[in-house]
Amino acid sequence: RSISDGSPKGIRDFPPELIRHHKWPFHNFKEGSWLYGFEDVDFPVLESEALFIGKAGEENRGQLYCFEDRWNRRVALRPELAPSLAMLVIRKGYRCQN
């Protein structure tokens, strides 16, 4: 794909022959994690812009893809999972077990 076909730069398709290779290490890591009692979590692709700018500061805004949604909320494409995971732990009140 190229920009001339309307695709954003850096975006591509993964046909079956490529996705098999792409998913293999993730599948094996997931199975190994399950053996040790870990469970799956998943997070939305969009998060509040404030979640990523709060601690990192305003200079972080230039590294994010942010926009206003149709309800006038400032949102960002999630660049990483750490803040989302931290918010899940806080919301659910999870505690480390020794």
Side-chain angles (χ1 to χ4, degrees):
R1 286 183 161 200
S2 67
I3 297 295
S4 63
D5 73 5
S7 303
K9 184 178 180 181
I11 304 297
R12 65 183 182 141
D13 294 328
F14 286 92
E17 64 274 7
L18 290 179
I19 200 69
R20 277 192 298 274
H21 297 291
H22 178 77
K23 286 190 170 190
W24 182 85
F26 296 100
H27 173 76
N28 287 302
F29 178 78
K30 185 184 282 192
E31 283 192 347
S33 298
W34 289 339
L35 291 174
Y36 289 93
F38 290 92
E39 295 182 88
D40 290 345
V41 294
D42 199 4
F43 302 100
V45 175
L46 292 177
E47 290 278 11
S48 167
E49 179 184 70
L51 180 62
F52 299 106
I53 293 178
K55 286 263 184 190
E58 282 296 317
E59 67 275 2
N60 201 26
R61 187 185 307 270
Q63 299 173 1
L64 296 171
Y65 183 80
C66 302
F67 57 94
E68 203 169 276
D69 69 8
R70 63 181 173 181
W71 297 280
N72 301 321
R73 298 174 300 191
R74 293 292 303 170
V75 294
L77 283 178
R78 182 191 72 218
E80 59 169 316
L81 290 177
S84 300
L85 180 59
M87 290 303 295
L88 174 68
V89 169
I90 290 167
R91 274 188 240 127
K92 293 288 187 179
Y94 292 129
R95 302 275 188 254
C96 293
Q97 295 188 11
N98 295 329

